[in-house]
Amino acid sequence: MNSNAHVAIVGGGIAGASAAYSLSLTQQFDRVLLIEAEPQLAMHTTGRSAAVLTENYGAGPVRPLTAASLSFLHDPPESLVDGPLLHKRGLLTVATRPEDHAELEKQLAAGTKARHPIIELGTDEAQLLAPHIELTASHRTMWEAESHDIDVAALHQAFIRGLRLHGGEILTSNRVDSAHRNTATSNDKPWRLETTKGPISVDIVVNAAGAWGDLVATTAGIKPVGLQPMRRTAFMTASPFEGSGRFPFLVDVLHRWYLRPDGTQFMCSPADEIPSEPCDARAEEIDIARAIELINAETKLNIRSISSQWAGLRTFGPDRAMVIGPEPTEPSFVWCVGQGGTGIQTSPGAGQLVADLVTLANPGESFADTGLNVSELLPDRLRG
Ligand SMILES: Cc1cc2nc3c(=O)[nH]c(=O)nc-3n(C[C@H](O)[C@H](O)[C@H](O)COP(=O)(O)OP(=O)(O)OC[C@H]3O[C@@H](n4cnc5c(N)ncnc54)[C@H](O)[C@@H]3O)c2cc1C
């Protein structure tokens, strides 16, 4: 890397912010630019999540990336935060019907090997933790004590503060409309980005555009990887229970619904996955109505009204894993997309991995004991 190198990160959600922060920390770039189309950062999927950290969730590279993120999440640099990023919550998974017990056993088996294992709880013990569900003899439950709520706004802000402290720049209301390769003979930098506010020349482009990742690639002449945005619905409702702010996160073992206490309310979701185009996602009334019916049937919330509703796009690669790393035929175009349903809890690790792959060409020491197999993330796996 020459000392005059410039890097642009396209997309100011959690993926772009964490990558920009980690790239700025390397001190290998003269300019680190975070470019966001919207007037505010994090207003798409990042601002719409359930904000949960669970070490025992996700397949393939998700757990290694989560493991690599834990030290930042638990113990962020003091200069970047005003308080903790995590608040202990605990997660109770419920198998309601006998036919769901096999899935619970599968998840238990995977979770017993974890650093913080999942344990099965008897229904009496689980009932004390979760008065908002009626547990009967046909229920089985498992408990992950070390699950936390993440303060997503503070986490995103920590990356932004760190980026600014290390000299990075943030450009909002600035859509990247296209990217062009300058010719090898030109004296200009390799990439010319056409943006709302004018052209920008850089050496490296990091694509962290979430649901728009394939569109950004296409405008740069790079083959899409096959991202699929999936809409997920959520809403808030008042809690009918005293002290429910201390209740655990409650999730159905087959992920048909979940509830997260939030002060005197519950955030509820039918955990739906509805294919969508990249867009400013909105909750559909029919999905909210179905969710209320389901959650009322399975819990004691007795929802009659809701106070707010929203939807967000969880975007997946074709094999459901993230796509992180340089495009094989054009290594100065770097992917950081497909964060799916775990982009918040994996963000410190994913951002670090982008910086490692750009500057070292390999995962660095943060990934030493995580079991990361980087080939499960590299775009190479999706190129025939
Ligand atoms: C209901 C719900 C619950 C979730 N719960 C959790 C959870 O509990 N834990 C967890 O870890 N994850 C969770 N997730 C997933 C998590 O929110 C996402 O994985 C993560 O936010 C994705 O971040 P991102 O930066 O890739 O995308 P985004 O936040 O969408 O950011 C992409 C940005 O790129 C910008 N952009 C696009 N095109 C351009 C362009 N051409 N020029 C400039 N900017 C551009 C967009 O405006 C956008 O701001 C949840 C998601 C949803 C919807």
Side-chain angles (χ1 to χ4, degrees), residues 229-243:
M230 298 283 207
R231 190 175 75 235
R232 175 157 288 186
T233 311
F235 62 88
M236 301 294 291
T237 187
S239 166
F241 298 92
E242 277 287 310

Side-chain angles (χ1 to χ4, degrees), residues 180-320:
H180 306 278
R181 284 292 282 163
N182 282 320
T183 57
T185 50
S186 115
N187 285 331
D188 210 348
K189 293 195 167 292
W191 286 101
R192 179 183 160 97
L193 308 183
E194 300 298 340
T195 79
T196 316
K197 294 179 178 169
I200 298 173
S201 289
V202 293
D203 298 83
I204 293 175
V205 179
V206 177
N207 177 7
W212 293 267
D214 271 344
L215 293 180
V216 167
T218 305
T219 72
I222 304 280
K223 196 174 148 201
V225 288
L227 296 173
Q228 179 59 64
M230 298 283 207
R231 190 175 75 235
R232 175 157 288 186
T233 311
F235 62 88
M236 301 294 291
T237 187
S239 166
F241 298 92
E242 277 287 310
S244 58
R246 292 189 306 276
F247 291 2
F249 188 96
L250 188 63
V251 61
D252 170 69
V253 73
L254 291 177
H255 283 250
R256 294 176 304 136
W257 53 267
Y258 59 75
L259 310 176
R260 182 169 73 80
D262 188 340
T264 57
Q265 302 200 82
F266 281 101
M267 176 206 162
C268 308
S269 174
D272 45 351
E273 284 198 353
I274 301 163
S276 168
E277 293 300 309
C279 66
D280 186 2
R282 301 285 150 133
E284 303 274 341
E285 291 303 328
I286 181 82
D287 298 327
I288 299 278
R290 280 201 199 107
I292 292 175
E293 197 181 345
L294 176 64
I295 291 168
N296 278 346
E298 303 258 333
T299 74
K300 298 202 296 192
L301 250 56
N302 194 21
I303 301 166
R304 294 267 172 268
S305 62
I306 64 174
S307 53
S308 61
Q309 64 188 57
W310 70 93
L313 299 180
R314 297 156 78 248
T315 297
F316 296 90
D319 54 4
R320 305 262 310 177

Side-chain angles (χ1 to χ4, degrees), residues 10-16 35-38 40-53 150 174-177 208-212 216 230 232-234 249 258 267 269 310-315 336-346:
V10 183
I14 203 82
I35 306 179
E36 168 56 48
E38 302 288 355
Q40 288 121 33
L41 302 173
M43 67 160 272
H44 286 288
T45 311
T46 297
R48 307 175 190 204
S49 86
V52 176
L53 163 63
I150 307 173
N174 204 30
R175 179 172 304 281
V176 174
D177 292 319
W212 293 267
V216 167
M230 298 283 207
R232 175 157 288 186
T233 311
F249 188 96
Y258 59 75
M267 176 206 162
S269 174
W310 70 93
L313 299 180
R314 297 156 78 248
T315 297
C336 182
V337 294
Q339 269 67 5
T342 53
I344 309 292
Q345 67 172 44
T346 55

Side-chain angles (χ1 to χ4, degrees), residues 93-109 120-121 123 135-142 252-254 256:
T93 303
V94 186
T96 319
R97 305 163 304 187
E99 60 265 37
D100 300 344
H101 292 181
E103 176 60 27
L104 185 112
E105 274 158 25
K106 198 173 114 197
Q107 292 185 25
L108 259 177
E120 179 157 15
L121 281 191
T123 38
L135 295 173
T136 66
S138 68
H139 287 83
R140 283 178 69 185
T141 67
M142 59 187 197
D252 170 69
V253 73
L254 291 177
R256 294 176 304 136

